[in-house]
């Protein structure tokens, strides 16, 4: 049983970060998720091996199946949109909430059209701030392949300090292993925005 159960069941939540809306991922997002899963960078760094290996028409369904309804199992998956009802810009998720006491793990990606606007960093900050204040999380970790410098910039911009390199910890869809940078943000760290 996830430790989140000891702190109450996670309730699907909607957050805002300026004009961005972070709302629970839903099955209605399938077409836009499918489009995002056509992007080589999302497939390479964020989709996971199962999704990347699937037929293009199946990728969004497989990705969504792991996230829709995941709130009850210690995961908070957010679709990041441009305003209320606006287009999907990306994804931010917190998983393993309270699996290790007072900790969680973050993940994120953005669509090609949303890149370069600070969307991922602002959404990641909003999700982290919510976790610190509402879920009583103290530490949120994340890692990314060293060969993905955009993810490194996002993490640092959102206040996630670098902590080291994990050798060959990222397994790419093509089966190659990559070193990963480990980052973390603590509830006691200064807010980045």
């Amino acid at each position: 049983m996830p430790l989140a159960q000891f702190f109450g069941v996670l309730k699907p939540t909607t957050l805002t970060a300026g004009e961005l809306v972070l709302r629970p991922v839903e099955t209605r997002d399938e077409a836009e998720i499918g489009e995002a899963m056509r992007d080589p960078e999302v497939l390479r760094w964020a989709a996971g091996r199962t999704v990347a290996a699937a037929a293009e028409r199946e990728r969004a369904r497989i990705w969504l199946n792991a996230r829709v309804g995941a709130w009850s199992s210690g995961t908070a998956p957010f679709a990041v949109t441009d305003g209320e009802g606006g287009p999907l810009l990306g994804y931010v998720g917190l998983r393993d909430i309270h699996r290790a006491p007072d900790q969680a793990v973050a993940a994120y990606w953005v669509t090609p059209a949303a890149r370069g606007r600070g969307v991922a960093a602002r959404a990641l900050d909003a999700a982290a701030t919510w976790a610190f204040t509402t879920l009583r999380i103290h530490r949120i970790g994340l890692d990314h392949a060293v060969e993905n410098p955009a993810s490194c910039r996002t993490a640092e911009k959102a206040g996630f300090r670098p902590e080291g390199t994990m050798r060959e910890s990222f397994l790419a869809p093509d089966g190659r292993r990559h070193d990963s940078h480990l980052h973390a943000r603590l509830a006691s760290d200064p807010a980045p925005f």
Side-chain angles (χ1 to χ4, degrees):
M1 173 188 301
L3 287 176
Q5 299 300 322
F6 295 110
F7 295 94
V9 175
L10 285 175
K11 293 183 173 69
T13 302
T14 298
L15 309 172
T16 59
E19 76 283 0
L20 301 177
V21 173
L22 285 69
R23 59 161 175 77
V25 171
E26 300 174 354
T27 55
R28 69 179 165 124
D29 298 318
E30 187 169 351
E32 289 179 293
I33 298 287
E35 184 62 33
M37 295 295 158
R38 288 184 187 95
D39 176 59
E41 295 301 300
V42 171
L43 279 178
R44 182 177 184 198
W45 302 123
R49 292 183 76 195
T50 301
V51 171
E56 187 175 296
R57 68 182 181 285
E58 296 295 318
R59 289 177 184 155
R61 184 187 54 76
I62 294 167
W63 190 89
L64 281 165
N65 282 346
R67 289 161 182 83
V68 172
W71 290 83
S72 63
S73 62
T75 295
F78 292 101
V80 180
T81 64
D82 195 1
E84 186 69 35
L88 181 79
L89 302 177
Y91 165 80
V92 170
L94 298 175
R95 63 177 168 78
D96 297 335
I97 296 171
H98 289 294
R99 186 171 146 249
D102 303 333
Q103 295 185 46
V105 177
Y108 49 89
W109 54 260
V110 293
T111 64
R115 292 184 186 138
R117 296 175 32 198
V119 169
R122 289 182 289 140
L124 181 57
D125 173 57
T129 300
W130 168 75
F132 295 144
T133 58
T134 303
L135 304 179
R136 299 183 309 224
I137 294 292
H138 179 71
R139 174 190 167 84
I140 301 172
L142 65 83
D143 66 89
H144 62 83
V146 171
E147 290 86 357
N148 186 356
S151 191
C152 196
R153 288 189 300 273
T154 293
E156 290 180 349
K157 190 173 180 182
F160 285 73
R161 296 181 186 172
E163 295 189 331
T165 301
M166 300 184 299
R167 297 179 310 137
E168 297 186 1
S169 68
F170 182 85
L171 183 58
D174 65 6
R176 291 184 13 217
R177 293 198 169 273
H178 300 272
D179 292 351
S180 292
H181 283 157
L182 176 64
H183 295 257
R185 181 170 159 191
L186 307 179
S188 56
D189 287 341
F193 297 103

